[in-house]
Amino acid sequence: MPSKPILLTIKEAAHFLSVSKTTLRRWTNQGILKCYRIGNRAERRFAQSDLLEFIEGQGTSTDTVQPDSELPNSVDAHCSTYYRNAADQWTAIQPYLTNNLRSGGRTVYLYHSDYHRILCGLEREGVQPESLIESGNLAFLSTNDTYLRGGRFDKNRMIDFWAGTIDQARKDGIETLFLSCEMGWVNREIPGFESLSSYETELDQLITNSPSVTGICQFPLEKFSGETIFDSICLHNQTTQSNGQSVIHL
């Protein structure tokens, strides 16, 4: 009777190969590395024999595979996107959103406009948003109920909200958490607006201290003055391009 294969968790497999968990997710998504899915969450498990075979041959090694930074959803950071219309917005956010959901991660999306267009976009990509919402891996919340609750922006309330969201994901065993916010609500006339800059700094620290979390703030260019966009860009220190859209990483 053949012995059962030794199965490793994604954390154990990442340590075994001396790579990140994000890299393993990418390799399995691309079919480069075999994995098994178990349980209701379809969590990844790796046979030790498959990992040894992967190291030994077939023309691929951990030294020749692309680094994590070349894949959009591998950025464990606080980022911003800037877009001119709904099509551009979807182009910029889609890789992060769909890759995280397909890998079993959780997404919390704060919308300022009609989030149903995001649902339709996910369906076009073959992702089933209704089942993900039911399972708790996808949540849509209005900016009026979060950023602007009570008619004002409260920095401490929002930091507590995100800290609680991250903590709950850890308790639920979620490996990757994607946070995205539509920033069309930003207005200098809103009470509490003056604390937005310090809020972004504290949010960056929170996300940086949570290596499995990626956060993206989405800014519609047509709603802001050049001064506001400049202030936003100054909060970030590295700029790359994704599908022609500006993506700024902290």
Side-chain angles (χ1 to χ4, degrees), residues 20-54:
S20 71
K21 292 188 291 184
T22 299
T23 295
L24 286 188
R25 293 188 190 95
R26 171 159 57 88
W27 287 348
T28 57
N29 289 341
Q30 295 176 340
I32 294 174
L33 180 61
K34 181 179 180 181
C35 75
Y36 301 88
R37 297 284 189 167
I38 66 170
N40 294 332
R41 285 200 180 98
E43 295 177 352
R44 290 173 175 82
R45 292 294 184 271
F46 298 83
Q48 192 177 70
S49 57
D50 291 336
L51 299 182
L52 290 170
E53 182 180 348
F54 177 77

Side-chain angles (χ1 to χ4, degrees), residues 103-136:
S103 67
R106 175 174 293 172
T107 291
V108 177
Y109 193 103
L110 272 54
Y111 65 92
H112 186 66
S113 55
D114 183 6
Y115 72 89
H116 288 90
R117 59 194 170 78
I118 303 296
L119 293 180
C120 292
L122 289 172
E123 290 173 348
R124 288 195 301 269
E125 295 294 325
V127 178
Q128 301 302 317
E130 297 300 333
S131 61
L132 291 168
I133 291 173
E134 185 176 348
S135 69

Side-chain angles (χ1 to χ4, degrees), residues 70-214:
E70 296 187 34
L71 189 74
N73 73 333
S74 71
V75 181
D76 295 331
H78 177 201
C79 317
S80 292
T81 62
Y82 301 87
Y83 58 92
R84 298 186 181 280
N85 52 52
D88 287 349
Q89 179 190 17
W90 177 249
T91 298
I93 202 70
Q94 178 269 326
Y96 300 87
L97 187 61
T98 57
N99 288 344
N100 182 64
L101 291 172
R102 283 172 176 154
S103 67
R106 175 174 293 172
T107 291
V108 177
Y109 193 103
L110 272 54
Y111 65 92
H112 186 66
S113 55
D114 183 6
Y115 72 89
H116 288 90
R117 59 194 170 78
I118 303 296
L119 293 180
C120 292
L122 289 172
E123 290 173 348
R124 288 195 301 269
E125 295 294 325
V127 178
Q128 301 302 317
E130 297 300 333
S131 61
L132 291 168
I133 291 173
E134 185 176 348
S135 69
N137 273 13
L138 176 60
F140 288 95
L141 300 171
S142 167
T143 55
N144 287 330
D145 295 329
T146 49
Y147 285 114
L148 302 179
R149 197 177 75 198
R152 63 177 291 109
F153 173 70
D154 187 318
K155 177 187 75 171
N156 295 329
R157 182 183 68 219
M158 284 306 301
I159 291 297
D160 288 345
F161 169 79
W162 290 125
T165 298
I166 294 171
D167 185 57
Q168 187 60 54
R170 288 180 180 141
K171 291 178 180 177
D172 293 342
I174 299 298
E175 293 182 349
T176 58
L177 179 63
F178 178 54
L179 313 174
S180 191
C181 323
E182 295 180 351
M183 303 299 287
W185 62 269
V186 173
N187 188 315
R188 293 182 181 274
E189 303 302 318
I190 293 174
F193 174 86
E194 66 279 358
S195 65
L196 182 62
S197 178
S198 60
Y199 159 75
E200 291 283 358
T201 300
E202 289 188 31
L203 179 60
D204 178 52
Q205 293 173 347
L206 178 64
I207 293 178
T208 299
N209 292 331
S210 306
S212 62
V213 179
T214 298

